[in-house]
Amino acid sequence: MLVISGLQCGVALSALNQEMGTARGDLRVLLVALGTLVALLLLQSLHSAPAARRIHRPYVICTLTLQTALTYLPPLLVNLEWHGLGGFAAGSVLAVLRDRKGVAGLAMVAVCDWAACRYGGLSYMETTLSVLVTIAVGVGVATLIRTTCRLASVHRAEASAIRKALQEERMRIGRDMHDLLAARLTFAVLRGELASRHIGSEDERARSELRGVLKLTRGALSDLRSLAHSFGEFSLIGELDHARALLGGVGVSVTVHEATRIPPGEIETVFAVAVRESVTNILRHSEARACCFLVYRRQNEYVLSVVNDGAELPPGPVEATHGHGLANLASRAAGTGGTCTARCTPTGMFELTVVSPQRAPARTAVPIPLPGPGTSCKETPRRDDYAPRAG
């Protein structure tokens, strides 16, 4: 835009300098020429801006007409000759208007240039050359304007992509922080509660629980370090064994049916996270005495189903907004092209089901929500005191 305005200003001042060097030059011509030049520069800046194509059509037609009129009428009124500025008006018309309208506008500018040259006393040959120069300059100016607009569009797209990538990375880190650390810290708190209850009465049991707390905190530290280098990876078998040991230690009967083997990768990670989140929810939000983990294949899908009793929620579907854990599971399941649903039964059972196709597609940012609005359950208060469960 600055280049175009500079060229336009240079052409006008060069012609004005020649005009003021003649006998016809006077103050009135100078004032008219300078005022017209300022107006032309402002209009040219408007039409060269990337936002020019978003201006309402009637207004942009008026501004283009005004630029053309200021290019040709003042020189005729004060007998001023500054040939060459018509190309900038032609460039504005071609850049802002497209297709037939742009060609029609260019033709109108060419007609005005022809009339101005003939009025100024130029021969037909000189007039023809002037019109051809005006058209050539117009095409060049329009190309420069469109190139500038495309570059600006590319820069905006790059900035938007960077913002989106940063936002996705923040979401990934937040999700992995929850999935990797929250469960381990929850289990550590629970085992700490157990250890405190057994100190003095069952010292060996208390030492065992403290060793478990130490192992969990070391694992949490290792997970925290891994966040800086990779996406969190989980082992489904390891999480099932951990769930059996932890829930069994607090009096929950655990049943595991692994009818199929989940291949390593993103699907296994999603299922492992679901197991870990289920264990956390059982400890924090239920009075469960029995829990069942079922892993099987259904046609071309892998299915994980977790069912436990003692649910403290009313019957009905549970939305993904019911806590960060369910929302994270829904997002992870969506990344594999699958779904995540949760519901409470009238008999007090809570069922979490994660379904994923055998071949997971490319990672996507489109979330797959749990059951929609209107069917949500009322959220119960979060229970962060594990003393009842530890007892």
Side-chain angles (χ1 to χ4, degrees), residues 10-34 74-83 85 119-120 122:
V11 171
L13 292 178
S14 177
L16 183 60
N17 182 55
Q18 294 179 4
E19 184 68 21
M20 297 306 295
T22 65
R24 294 180 299 174
D26 57 19
L27 183 59
R28 184 172 64 92
V29 174
L30 178 61
L31 293 177
V32 171
L34 291 178
L76 297 179
L77 297 177
V78 297
N79 198 20
L80 174 65
E81 297 180 2
W82 55 12
H83 302 293
L85 289 183
Y119 182 84
L122 298 182

Short mmCIF file of all heavy atoms in Angstrom, two decimals, residues 10-34 74-83 85 119-120 122:
data_model
loop_
_atom_site.label_atom_id
_atom_site.label_comp_id
_atom_site.label_asym_id
_atom_site.label_seq_id
_atom_site.Cartn_x
_atom_site.Cartn_y
_atom_site.Cartn_z
N GLY A 10 4.57 10.33 -6.45
CA GLY A 10 5.69 10.73 -7.30
C GLY A 10 5.25 11.17 -8.68
O GLY A 10 5.74 12.18 -9.22
N VAL A 11 4.31 10.44 -9.28
CA VAL A 11 3.81 10.81 -10.61
C VAL A 11 3.12 12.17 -10.56
O VAL A 11 3.34 13.05 -11.42
CB VAL A 11 2.84 9.73 -11.13
CG1 VAL A 11 2.13 10.20 -12.40
CG2 VAL A 11 3.59 8.43 -11.40
N ALA A 12 2.27 12.38 -9.53
CA ALA A 12 1.54 13.64 -9.44
C ALA A 12 2.48 14.81 -9.19
O ALA A 12 2.34 15.88 -9.81
CB ALA A 12 0.50 13.54 -8.33
N LEU A 13 3.44 14.67 -8.30
CA LEU A 13 4.35 15.77 -8.00
C LEU A 13 5.26 16.08 -9.19
O LEU A 13 5.62 17.25 -9.43
CB LEU A 13 5.19 15.45 -6.77
CG LEU A 13 4.42 15.39 -5.44
CD1 LEU A 13 5.34 15.00 -4.30
CD2 LEU A 13 3.74 16.73 -5.15
N SER A 14 5.65 15.05 -9.93
CA SER A 14 6.47 15.29 -11.13
C SER A 14 5.71 16.12 -12.15
O SER A 14 6.24 17.09 -12.71
CB SER A 14 6.91 13.96 -11.73
OG SER A 14 7.64 14.17 -12.93
N ALA A 15 4.43 15.76 -12.38
CA ALA A 15 3.62 16.53 -13.32
C ALA A 15 3.37 17.94 -12.80
O ALA A 15 3.39 18.92 -13.56
CB ALA A 15 2.29 15.81 -13.57
N LEU A 16 3.14 18.07 -11.49
CA LEU A 16 2.89 19.38 -10.91
C LEU A 16 4.14 20.27 -10.97
O LEU A 16 4.04 21.48 -11.22
CB LEU A 16 2.43 19.21 -9.46
CG LEU A 16 2.05 20.49 -8.71
CD1 LEU A 16 0.90 21.19 -9.42
CD2 LEU A 16 1.67 20.16 -7.26
N ASN A 17 5.28 19.66 -10.81
CA ASN A 17 6.52 20.44 -10.90
C ASN A 17 6.72 21.00 -12.31
O ASN A 17 7.12 22.15 -12.49
CB ASN A 17 7.70 19.55 -10.50
CG ASN A 17 9.02 20.31 -10.52
OD1 ASN A 17 9.17 21.34 -9.88
ND2 ASN A 17 9.98 19.79 -11.29
N GLN A 18 6.43 20.18 -13.30
CA GLN A 18 6.53 20.67 -14.68
C GLN A 18 5.50 21.76 -14.94
O GLN A 18 5.78 22.75 -15.63
CB GLN A 18 6.32 19.51 -15.66
CG GLN A 18 7.41 18.45 -15.60
CD GLN A 18 7.15 17.31 -16.56
OE1 GLN A 18 6.18 17.33 -17.31
NE2 GLN A 18 8.03 16.31 -16.52
N GLU A 19 4.32 21.59 -14.38
CA GLU A 19 3.25 22.59 -14.61
C GLU A 19 3.59 23.91 -13.95
O GLU A 19 3.39 24.97 -14.53
CB GLU A 19 1.92 22.04 -14.06
CG GLU A 19 0.72 22.95 -14.34
CD GLU A 19 0.37 23.02 -15.81
OE1 GLU A 19 0.77 22.11 -16.56
OE2 GLU A 19 -0.30 23.99 -16.19
N MET A 20 4.13 23.88 -12.72
CA MET A 20 4.45 25.12 -12.05
C MET A 20 5.65 25.82 -12.67
O MET A 20 5.89 27.01 -12.45
CB MET A 20 4.74 24.85 -10.56
CG MET A 20 3.53 24.29 -9.80
SD MET A 20 2.04 25.30 -9.96
CE MET A 20 2.57 26.79 -9.13
N GLY A 21 6.41 25.09 -13.46
CA GLY A 21 7.53 25.72 -14.15
C GLY A 21 7.13 26.48 -15.39
O GLY A 21 7.96 27.17 -16.00
N THR A 22 5.88 26.36 -15.81
CA THR A 22 5.37 27.08 -16.99
C THR A 22 4.72 28.37 -16.55
O THR A 22 4.55 28.67 -15.37
CB THR A 22 4.36 26.21 -17.74
OG1 THR A 22 3.22 26.01 -16.90
CG2 THR A 22 4.97 24.85 -18.09
N ALA A 23 4.33 29.14 -17.56
CA ALA A 23 3.71 30.45 -17.30
C ALA A 23 2.32 30.31 -16.71
O ALA A 23 1.80 31.22 -16.08
CB ALA A 23 3.66 31.26 -18.59
N ARG A 24 1.73 29.09 -16.92
CA ARG A 24 0.36 28.93 -16.44
C ARG A 24 0.30 28.64 -14.94
O ARG A 24 -0.74 28.65 -14.34
CB ARG A 24 -0.32 27.77 -17.18
CG ARG A 24 -0.53 28.02 -18.66
CD ARG A 24 -1.19 26.83 -19.33
NE ARG A 24 -0.33 25.64 -19.20
CZ ARG A 24 -0.71 24.43 -19.59
NH1 ARG A 24 -1.92 24.25 -20.08
NH2 ARG A 24 0.12 23.41 -19.48
N GLY A 25 1.45 28.31 -14.35
CA GLY A 25 1.44 27.94 -12.94
C GLY A 25 1.10 29.10 -12.04
O GLY A 25 1.71 30.17 -12.14
N ASP A 26 0.17 28.95 -11.16
CA ASP A 26 -0.18 29.98 -10.19
C ASP A 26 -0.61 29.30 -8.90
O ASP A 26 -0.65 28.06 -8.80
CB ASP A 26 -1.28 30.90 -10.73
CG ASP A 26 -2.54 30.14 -11.15
OD1 ASP A 26 -2.72 28.99 -10.69
OD2 ASP A 26 -3.33 30.70 -11.91
N LEU A 27 -0.94 30.09 -7.91
CA LEU A 27 -1.29 29.55 -6.60
C LEU A 27 -2.57 28.73 -6.64
O LEU A 27 -2.68 27.72 -5.95
CB LEU A 27 -1.43 30.71 -5.61
CG LEU A 27 -1.72 30.32 -4.15
CD1 LEU A 27 -0.61 29.43 -3.61
CD2 LEU A 27 -1.90 31.56 -3.30
N ARG A 28 -3.53 29.17 -7.46
CA ARG A 28 -4.81 28.44 -7.53
C ARG A 28 -4.59 27.02 -8.05
O ARG A 28 -5.13 26.05 -7.51
CB ARG A 28 -5.78 29.19 -8.44
CG ARG A 28 -7.18 28.56 -8.49
CD ARG A 28 -8.13 29.47 -9.26
NE ARG A 28 -7.70 29.60 -10.65
CZ ARG A 28 -8.15 28.80 -11.62
NH1 ARG A 28 -8.99 27.84 -11.35
NH2 ARG A 28 -7.75 29.00 -12.87
N VAL A 29 -3.78 26.87 -9.05
CA VAL A 29 -3.49 25.54 -9.60
C VAL A 29 -2.79 24.68 -8.55
O VAL A 29 -3.09 23.49 -8.38
CB VAL A 29 -2.64 25.66 -10.87
CG1 VAL A 29 -2.20 24.28 -11.36
CG2 VAL A 29 -3.40 26.40 -11.96
N LEU A 30 -1.86 25.29 -7.82
CA LEU A 30 -1.11 24.55 -6.81
C LEU A 30 -2.04 24.05 -5.71
O LEU A 30 -1.96 22.89 -5.29
CB LEU A 30 -0.03 25.44 -6.21
CG LEU A 30 0.81 24.82 -5.09
CD1 LEU A 30 1.56 23.59 -5.60
CD2 LEU A 30 1.77 25.84 -4.50
N LEU A 31 -2.94 24.90 -5.22
CA LEU A 31 -3.85 24.50 -4.15
C LEU A 31 -4.80 23.40 -4.60
O LEU A 31 -5.04 22.42 -3.88
CB LEU A 31 -4.63 25.71 -3.65
CG LEU A 31 -3.80 26.79 -2.94
CD1 LEU A 31 -4.68 27.97 -2.56
CD2 LEU A 31 -3.10 26.22 -1.70
N VAL A 32 -5.35 23.56 -5.80
CA VAL A 32 -6.27 22.53 -6.32
C VAL A 32 -5.54 21.21 -6.49
O VAL A 32 -6.05 20.14 -6.14
CB VAL A 32 -6.89 22.99 -7.65
CG1 VAL A 32 -7.68 21.84 -8.29
CG2 VAL A 32 -7.81 24.18 -7.43
N ALA A 33 -4.33 21.27 -7.04
CA ALA A 33 -3.57 20.05 -7.28
C ALA A 33 -3.22 19.34 -5.97
O ALA A 33 -3.36 18.12 -5.84
CB ALA A 33 -2.31 20.37 -8.07
N LEU A 34 -2.76 20.10 -4.96
CA LEU A 34 -2.39 19.49 -3.69
C LEU A 34 -3.60 18.90 -2.96
O LEU A 34 -3.53 17.81 -2.39
CB LEU A 34 -1.68 20.51 -2.80
CG LEU A 34 -0.29 20.95 -3.27
CD1 LEU A 34 0.29 22.01 -2.32
CD2 LEU A 34 0.66 19.77 -3.37
N PRO A 74 -10.45 17.68 -11.94
CA PRO A 74 -9.69 18.88 -11.57
C PRO A 74 -8.67 19.33 -12.61
O PRO A 74 -8.55 20.53 -12.87
CB PRO A 74 -9.00 18.45 -10.26
CG PRO A 74 -9.89 17.42 -9.69
CD PRO A 74 -10.40 16.67 -10.88
N PRO A 75 -7.92 18.43 -13.25
CA PRO A 75 -7.02 18.90 -14.30
C PRO A 75 -7.74 19.60 -15.44
O PRO A 75 -7.22 20.54 -16.03
CB PRO A 75 -6.35 17.60 -14.78
CG PRO A 75 -6.39 16.70 -13.60
CD PRO A 75 -7.70 17.00 -12.94
N LEU A 76 -8.96 19.14 -15.73
CA LEU A 76 -9.73 19.80 -16.79
C LEU A 76 -10.20 21.18 -16.35
O LEU A 76 -10.25 22.12 -17.14
CB LEU A 76 -10.93 18.93 -17.18
CG LEU A 76 -10.61 17.54 -17.77
CD1 LEU A 76 -11.89 16.79 -18.08
CD2 LEU A 76 -9.75 17.67 -19.03
N LEU A 77 -10.55 21.30 -15.05
CA LEU A 77 -11.09 22.58 -14.57
C LEU A 77 -10.01 23.66 -14.46
O LEU A 77 -10.29 24.84 -14.68
CB LEU A 77 -11.76 22.37 -13.21
CG LEU A 77 -12.99 21.43 -13.20
CD1 LEU A 77 -13.51 21.25 -11.79
CD2 LEU A 77 -14.09 21.99 -14.12
N VAL A 78 -8.80 23.29 -14.10
CA VAL A 78 -7.74 24.28 -13.93
C VAL A 78 -6.67 24.17 -15.02
O VAL A 78 -5.59 24.74 -14.90
CB VAL A 78 -7.09 24.13 -12.54
CG1 VAL A 78 -8.09 24.42 -11.45
CG2 VAL A 78 -6.47 22.75 -12.38
N ASN A 79 -6.99 23.40 -16.06
CA ASN A 79 -6.07 23.25 -17.19
C ASN A 79 -4.72 22.69 -16.74
O ASN A 79 -3.65 23.20 -17.10
CB ASN A 79 -5.87 24.59 -17.90
CG ASN A 79 -5.31 24.39 -19.31
OD1 ASN A 79 -5.41 23.29 -19.88
ND2 ASN A 79 -4.71 25.43 -19.86
N LEU A 80 -4.79 21.61 -15.90
CA LEU A 80 -3.59 20.99 -15.36
C LEU A 80 -3.36 19.66 -16.05
O LEU A 80 -4.29 18.87 -16.22
CB LEU A 80 -3.74 20.78 -13.85
CG LEU A 80 -2.62 20.01 -13.13
CD1 LEU A 80 -1.31 20.80 -13.21
CD2 LEU A 80 -3.02 19.73 -11.69
N GLU A 81 -2.17 19.38 -16.47
CA GLU A 81 -1.84 18.13 -17.13
C GLU A 81 -0.99 17.27 -16.20
O GLU A 81 0.14 17.62 -15.89
CB GLU A 81 -1.07 18.39 -18.43
CG GLU A 81 -1.87 19.16 -19.48
CD GLU A 81 -1.06 19.39 -20.74
OE1 GLU A 81 0.09 18.90 -20.79
OE2 GLU A 81 -1.57 20.04 -21.66
N TRP A 82 -1.56 16.16 -15.71
CA TRP A 82 -0.75 15.18 -14.98
C TRP A 82 -1.14 13.78 -15.42
O TRP A 82 -1.79 13.02 -14.75
CB TRP A 82 -0.85 15.34 -13.46
CG TRP A 82 -2.24 15.31 -12.84
CD1 TRP A 82 -3.41 14.94 -13.41
CD2 TRP A 82 -2.54 15.62 -11.48
NE1 TRP A 82 -4.44 15.02 -12.54
CE2 TRP A 82 -3.94 15.44 -11.31
CE3 TRP A 82 -1.81 16.03 -10.38
CZ2 TRP A 82 -4.59 15.66 -10.12
CZ3 TRP A 82 -2.46 16.25 -9.20
CH2 TRP A 82 -3.84 16.07 -9.07
N HIS A 83 -0.72 13.46 -16.61
CA HIS A 83 -0.99 12.16 -17.20
C HIS A 83 -0.27 11.07 -16.41
O HIS A 83 0.85 11.25 -15.94
CB HIS A 83 -0.51 12.13 -18.66
CG HIS A 83 -1.15 13.18 -19.52
ND1 HIS A 83 -2.48 13.17 -19.83
CD2 HIS A 83 -0.62 14.30 -20.10
CE1 HIS A 83 -2.77 14.22 -20.58
NE2 HIS A 83 -1.65 14.93 -20.76
N LEU A 85 -1.87 9.29 -13.75
CA LEU A 85 -2.62 8.95 -12.55
C LEU A 85 -3.84 8.07 -12.85
O LEU A 85 -4.37 7.42 -11.93
CB LEU A 85 -3.08 10.22 -11.83
CG LEU A 85 -1.97 11.04 -11.13
CD1 LEU A 85 -2.58 12.22 -10.42
CD2 LEU A 85 -1.19 10.18 -10.16
N TYR A 119 -9.14 16.01 -24.90
CA TYR A 119 -9.41 17.38 -24.45
C TYR A 119 -8.13 18.16 -24.26
O TYR A 119 -8.07 19.38 -24.48
CB TYR A 119 -10.22 17.34 -23.16
CG TYR A 119 -10.60 18.71 -22.63
CD1 TYR A 119 -11.71 19.38 -23.11
CD2 TYR A 119 -9.82 19.33 -21.63
CE1 TYR A 119 -12.06 20.64 -22.63
CE2 TYR A 119 -10.15 20.58 -21.16
CZ TYR A 119 -11.28 21.23 -21.65
OH TYR A 119 -11.61 22.48 -21.18
N GLY A 120 -7.08 17.48 -23.85
CA GLY A 120 -5.80 18.15 -23.66
C GLY A 120 -5.04 18.41 -24.94
O GLY A 120 -3.92 18.95 -24.88
N LEU A 122 -3.99 16.09 -27.30
CA LEU A 122 -3.11 15.04 -27.80
C LEU A 122 -3.67 14.44 -29.09
O LEU A 122 -4.88 14.41 -29.30
CB LEU A 122 -2.94 13.93 -26.76
CG LEU A 122 -2.30 14.33 -25.42
CD1 LEU A 122 -2.16 13.10 -24.52
CD2 LEU A 122 -0.95 14.99 -25.63
#
